[in-house]
Amino acid sequence: MSNRAFSNLRRLLLGGLLASVVSSILPWSQAIADDAKTLRIGYQKFNSVNILKGTGALEKALAAQGVKVSWHEFAAGPQLLEALSTGAIDLGHAADAPSVFAQAAGKPVVYLAAEQPYPRGIGLVVREQDHITSVQELKGKRVATGRGWNAQYLLAVALQQAGLSYQDVTPAYVNNAADAVAALQSGSVQASTLWDPFLAAAEQQPGLKNLRDGSGLTNNRTFYLSTASFADQHREWLKTFFSELAKVSQWANAKPAEVASLLAPQLGIKPEVLEVASERRNYNAVPITPAIVAEQQKLADTFQGLGLIPHKLNVADAVYPTAVLP
C-alpha cells in the first residue's frame, strides 16, 4: 500500500472513530442538559404538593421557561430530606420534626416556607380492646413511632403534659405508617403515632380510636425545603412553584370533597378518608416568621432534652434568607 493510500485510509478510520465518539457523547450531553432543566420535586401522600402534582398546573407554568418537572414519592419526611440533602431531588416538603432532625444531622437543607398549623392531623392511636383512656395509661407500654416523625414529637409533648417522660414508654421504631398500624393491630404495641391521611384512615377502622391529637400541644406544620445552592440558582423556578401552589391551595381549602376525589385514585385511599383529613387542614403556604422559627426552636430543644438530638441547634441558621413566595 502506498503512503498516499495509507494516509487516506488513516483519515477515514480516524474520521469514523471521531464520529462514533461524538455520536456516543451527544446523548449523554443531551441527558445532562435535560436534567439541568428539570425541577425534581419530592412529595408525600396527601399534601398540597401532592394535589399540585395531580392538577398538572406546574408543568404548564414551567414549560414557558423551558423547564420540565419530575415527581418523586417518599414514605415519610426523613427519607425525603435524605434525598434532598444528597442532590437526588431539588425541592420537597416535610413536617416540623424531620426538618429539625435533618438540620441536626448537618444536612444542607433550608426552610423556604411553611404551611398553616395542622394540629388535628397527628394523633396517638390505641385499640379499644386495650381500654386505654388517657395518655397517663401509656406508662410502661410499647408505642410504635418513627425516628424524627412529627408524631414522635406529639408523643413526647403529650407524655410531658401527662406528667410522664419519654422514658416512661418503650418506643418501637418503625419506618412507615403502615408498619405502625400493623404493629398496633397485632397487639405488639399498645399505641401508634400517626399522621394524616393514615390517621384519618385509622380513625375509621373498627376497634381503633384516636387517644390524643396535637391540639394545644403542637402546630404540626409542614415546611417546604430546598438547598441554599439550588435556591440561589433557581429562584424564578421556585417563585413559579409557589405561585401555582398558592392557586391549588386556595382551591383545596374551599373544595375538600374535590381534593379527595382527585387524590383517591393516586393514593389508593378511600375518598371519604381523604375528605376528613382535608377538611381539618389549611393548605396555604406562609413565609417563615420569627414566631414559626420559635416553634421549631422549641421542638429542637425538646428533642435535645430527650437526648434524641445530641447538641444545641439554632433553627434560624437553616432559614433561607430571601423570600420566594409570590
Side-chain angles (χ1 to χ4, degrees):
M1 179 182 291
S2 68
N3 288 339
R4 183 175 179 181
F6 180 80
S7 178
N8 289 336
L9 177 61
R10 193 169 110 179
R11 278 198 299 273
L12 286 171
L13 288 173
L14 285 174
L17 179 60
L18 286 172
S20 176
V21 170
V22 168
S23 66
S24 66
I25 289 175
L26 282 174
W28 286 100
S29 300
Q30 186 61 48
I32 292 171
D34 288 345
D35 188 58
K37 294 182 179 179
T38 299
L39 177 59
R40 302 167 300 166
I41 303 174
Y43 72 99
Q44 301 170 59
K45 291 181 186 293
F46 184 65
N47 183 274
S48 52
V49 179
N50 196 172
I51 300 168
L52 181 60
K53 174 182 181 291
T55 67
L58 182 62
E59 285 86 342
K60 294 177 183 177
L62 282 175
Q65 301 175 37
V67 179
K68 299 178 181 179
V69 181
S70 65
W71 302 92
H72 307 267
E73 183 182 324
F74 294 87
Q79 295 94 318
L80 186 154
L81 292 172
E82 178 64 26
L84 180 60
S85 70
T86 59
I89 58 175
D90 306 310
L91 171 67
H93 66 87
D96 42 19
S99 303
V100 160
F101 275 88
Q103 184 184 3
K107 299 186 186 304
V109 300
V110 292
Y111 297 97
L112 301 176
E115 261 190 22
Q116 301 280 7
Y118 187 23
R120 294 174 60 204
I122 48 176
L124 304 178
V125 179
V126 296
R127 300 191 304 176
E128 290 180 349
Q129 70 187 69
D130 291 331
H131 304 293
I132 296 173
T133 60
S134 68
V135 175
Q136 287 92 334
E137 293 174 44
L138 293 179
K139 184 175 183 178
K141 303 293 196 297
R142 287 172 53 83
V143 181
T145 192
R147 297 180 189 275
W149 285 4
N150 54 339
Q152 184 190 25
Y153 180 63
L154 170 63
L155 174 62
V157 292
L159 289 169
Q160 287 178 350
Q161 187 188 57
L164 303 175
S165 72
Y166 196 77
Q167 288 69 36
D168 284 320
V169 300
T170 301
Y173 290 112
V174 295
N175 292 320
N176 55 61
D179 289 346
V181 173
L184 180 61
Q185 291 176 323
S186 71
S188 64
V189 300
Q190 288 70 57
S192 288
T193 68
L194 292 173
W195 67 95
D196 274 342
F198 310 106
L199 174 62
E203 289 172 338
Q204 295 190 16
Q205 289 191 31
L208 299 182
K209 67 175 183 179
N210 189 352
L211 182 66
R212 180 71 163 93
D213 66 22
S215 299
L217 291 175
T218 169
N219 277 335
N220 181 38
R221 290 185 190 271
T222 289
F223 289 90
Y224 300 93
L225 304 106
S226 184
T227 62
S229 58
F230 181 85
D232 287 343
Q233 296 172 34
H234 301 288
R235 205 163 297 152
E236 290 306 311
W237 295 11
L238 293 176
K239 288 183 177 179
T240 300
F241 168 82
F242 281 111
S243 177
E244 295 304 317
L245 187 73
K247 297 174 189 175
V248 82
S249 296
Q250 290 175 0
W251 169 78
N253 287 337
K255 305 286 186 180
E258 293 183 23
V259 170
S261 297
L262 175 71
L263 294 185
Q266 294 183 49
L267 305 184
I269 297 175
K270 295 179 180 178
E272 54 267 31
V273 170
L274 294 175
E275 186 172 357
V276 168
S278 193
E279 284 176 342
R280 59 195 184 196
R281 183 170 199 162
N282 183 333
Y283 293 96
N284 289 339
V286 296
I288 305 293
T289 64
I292 293 175
V293 172
E295 286 177 16
Q296 282 295 88
Q297 190 64 55
K298 179 183 176 183
L299 189 149
D301 293 344
T302 298
F303 277 124
Q304 185 195 4
L306 295 174
L308 300 176
I309 288 179
H311 53 82
K312 176 76 173 178
L313 288 184
N314 184 15
V315 169
D317 292 342
V319 176
Y320 188 65
T322 306
V324 293
L325 292 183

